[in-house]
Amino acid sequence: MIPLIFLLAMQVVAVKVFKKTAPNGKVTVYLGKRDFVDRLDGVCDPVDGVIVIDNDYLRDRRIYGQVMTTFRYGREEDEVMGLKFSKDMVLCKEQVVPPHHNKKQNPSDLTPIQEKLLKKLDNQNAFPFTFNLPDLAPPSVTLQHGENDAGRPLGVEYEMKAFVAENDQDPGHRRSTVSLRIRKVQHAALTRGQKQPSVLVSKGFTFSAGKINLEVTLDRDIYYHGEEMAANVHISNTSKKSVRNIKVMVVQHCEVTMVNAHFTKTVAHLETREGCPITPGASLTKSFHLRPCASNNKDKRGIALDGHLKDEDVNLASTTMVPGNPNDALGFVVSYSLRVKLNLGTLGGELQADLPFKLVHPGPDAEDIKEISFKGSKDRATYQKQCYAKDADEEENIVFEDFAKLRMSMSEIDN
């Protein structure tokens, strides 16, 4: 029997690398990941990879690389008579082949994944590239399509493109262009504080004395995707009205900065009559547990998602966080609040309380990440494999995976 220690020593870690080739088969792009992380401290993961050119195709051709974002704020089918509801912005662009600065001659300029790829490919026509996204580049957001929606979804999308051109103003030809959809995501701070946010609202009545008080408290102000929320609700009734039922919901707020529009969607909901009616002079304290996640909102049109690349890695859009002035936020600004409604009957109306909180991705070094049950969201290990580099001391094998687009619906295939 082979000793267990020997087996562990022989263990090899596989690193997934995404690969895509131009239609003419002459240009191939390799990317180490598709999710690029903004840690909100002025540091964002660079978009780094390697471009490989066919030997007979290179000659005197120039190859450019760029990262572009598309901000779509209207339906594609409504674009008529030259009217467009989208804006394309090139965030960074440079000539990759021939390189202005040969990174191969200075290995310190190479990222770890580029070093591994150049060693694995062992091709003199392999050229590394690195793009740094601007600090204020908006995070990826996709609004979920409805059953009858067609065309590209609304939101903010990122695309890395490599193409053959005569100069930097030449858009290139489709046959010699490689386009890869990527995603920019944000992470929470390393630690979450012990702050328990709360809100207190009251409602009085014109023709009767007394009022109804509603106090809502959350167990924390920052939640990770898939984590269960605990809300404590305290109601005291000193009026002559009665509380008929209680509604608790998680509301997603989405602001479209370019057109100054705002809309809300409910992503988790709970309604109860337990403890009701709360009659005059009575009070009630009760805890409610909700878990907002994308898997429970698959059929809701207009839900903001974290940049939909494929079905198994979809989450609700994270809370948009901007270092410095919040008014500098661009694209689709997403926020969340816990909303509690009390039904006071036909004449009494409703009493509503909104309590903001943040819903984000955990960072790789988050201290309390082991305590979280990630139900209804993407598996944490899967997420970290896509976002974080392996330990440099580990022996690694590179596994290439074709960079596939979103699966087409049957209606699109038929057309």
Side-chain angles (χ1 to χ4, degrees):
M1 181 180 294
I2 301 176
L4 179 60
I5 297 178
F6 179 75
L7 289 175
L8 293 175
M10 293 293 292
Q11 184 177 4
V12 177
V13 179
V15 177
K16 182 186 296 184
V17 173
F18 296 97
K19 166 189 172 183
K20 192 171 183 181
T21 304
N24 63 6
K26 306 297 184 181
V27 183
T28 303
V29 175
Y30 296 87
L31 276 182
K33 55 187 175 183
R34 301 183 307 171
D35 291 355
F36 298 89
V37 179
D38 180 5
R39 295 176 177 81
L40 303 173
D41 55 1
V43 178
C44 182
D45 289 348
V47 181
D48 55 342
V50 173
I51 295 178
V52 177
I53 314 300
D54 188 90
N55 288 325
D56 300 331
Y57 186 72
L58 185 58
R59 298 179 184 176
D60 296 328
R61 290 182 168 88
R62 295 182 179 181
I63 297 180
Y64 294 86
Q66 69 179 27
V67 175
M68 183 177 68
T69 181
T70 300
F71 177 43
R72 174 162 291 280
Y73 53 91
R75 298 192 305 173
E76 198 171 15
E77 54 264 36
D78 292 338
E79 296 180 344
V80 295
M81 299 179 65
L83 184 65
K84 289 195 68 176
F85 295 120
S86 66
K87 185 175 181 61
D88 297 331
M89 293 175 283
V90 177
L91 301 180
C92 37
K93 184 177 183 179
E94 72 173 21
Q95 180 179 309
V96 181
V97 183
H100 292 303
H101 171 60
N102 193 348
K103 294 183 179 180
K104 293 182 182 180
Q105 297 177 357
N106 189 2
S108 62
D109 291 342
L110 296 174
T111 61
I113 190 64
Q114 289 174 338
E115 292 179 359
K116 293 179 176 65
L117 282 170
L118 293 175
K119 181 179 178 181
K120 176 78 173 179
L121 297 171
D122 192 20
N123 190 326
Q124 63 178 355
N125 291 328
F127 299 88
F129 62 87
T130 302
F131 299 110
N132 294 304
L133 299 177
D135 292 340
L136 292 179
S140 298
V141 176
T142 300
L143 299 191
Q144 187 164 256
H145 263 175
E147 292 183 359
N148 300 321
D149 289 338
R152 297 178 64 180
L154 277 64
V156 177
E157 297 179 346
Y158 283 86
E159 182 180 60
M160 186 272 155
K161 183 161 71 171
F163 57 96
V164 179
E166 295 182 0
N167 53 65
D168 58 356
Q169 302 300 321
D170 184 0
H173 193 277
R174 184 175 180 181
R175 283 186 52 79
S176 57
T177 298
V178 181
S179 297
L180 307 96
R181 281 185 57 190
I182 59 178
R183 183 166 59 176
K184 181 176 183 283
V185 296
Q186 292 183 329
H187 278 177
L190 296 181
T191 58
R192 295 186 290 183
Q194 301 299 320
K195 178 182 177 182
Q196 292 185 328
S198 63
V199 63
L200 174 63
V201 295
S202 302
K203 183 173 183 177
F205 303 93
T206 305
F207 300 106
S208 61
K211 58 184 179 180
I212 296 179
N213 298 315
L214 169 62
E215 183 178 8
V216 182
T217 305
L218 287 172
D219 55 340
R220 57 183 41 148
D221 62 339
I222 298 178
Y223 293 92
Y224 297 146
H225 288 287
E227 188 177 8
E228 187 177 76
M229 301 173 54
N232 188 62
V233 177
H234 176 72
I235 305 168
S236 62
N237 186 4
T238 61
S239 71
K240 295 183 179 180
K241 304 291 182 180
S242 296
V243 178
R244 305 292 181 85
N245 65 351
I246 305 171
K247 296 180 182 179
V248 183
M249 61 196 77
V250 176
V251 180
Q252 181 189 73
H253 308 266
C254 189
E255 179 184 355
V256 187
T257 58
M258 182 164 288
V259 293
N260 198 24
H262 183 273
F263 58 91
T264 61
K265 296 288 183 179
T266 301
V267 295
H269 181 268
L270 180 63
E271 183 175 353
T272 182
R273 294 179 179 271
E274 186 177 349
C276 298
I278 304 175
T279 55
S283 62
L284 174 69
T285 299
K286 188 173 179 61
S287 293
F288 297 91
H289 298 270
L290 298 95
R291 193 189 304 272
C293 57
S295 59
N296 295 334
N297 295 278
K298 291 183 177 180
D299 299 328
K300 288 189 179 180
R301 181 176 182 267
I303 295 290
L305 305 175
D306 241 347
H308 192 177
L309 291 181
K310 58 181 182 179
D311 291 340
E312 58 264 33
D313 65 0
V314 64
N315 275 315
L316 293 175
S318 299
T319 299
T320 304
M321 295 180 287
V322 180
N325 189 356
N327 295 327
D328 293 336
L330 301 173
F332 284 65
V333 180
V334 179
S335 59
Y336 291 88
S337 68
L338 179 77
R339 179 171 294 175
V340 179
K341 284 185 177 182
L342 305 182
N343 181 6
L344 309 180
T346 305
L347 299 179
E350 288 184 335
L351 176 58
Q352 176 177 304
D354 283 280
L355 184 57
F357 67 91
K358 294 182 178 68
L359 183 64
V360 294
H361 287 292
D365 301 321
E367 295 181 357
D368 52 355
I369 193 171
K370 296 180 180 179
E371 303 173 1
I372 303 169
S373 174
F374 283 82
K375 295 180 180 179
S377 67
K378 182 169 51 171
D379 179 73
R380 175 169 61 91
T382 303
Y383 184 81
Q384 290 184 327
K385 285 179 182 178
Q386 293 181 1
C387 291
Y388 312 125
K390 298 286 184 182
D391 191 339
D393 295 334
E394 293 180 346
E395 184 183 358
E396 297 176 347
N397 267 351
I398 293 180
V399 178
F400 297 115
E401 177 177 316
D402 289 335
F403 200 103
K405 294 183 178 180
L406 280 170
R407 300 193 198 97
M408 299 177 65
S409 65
M410 294 306 296
S411 60
E412 291 174 325
I413 295 176
D414 294 339
N415 293 336

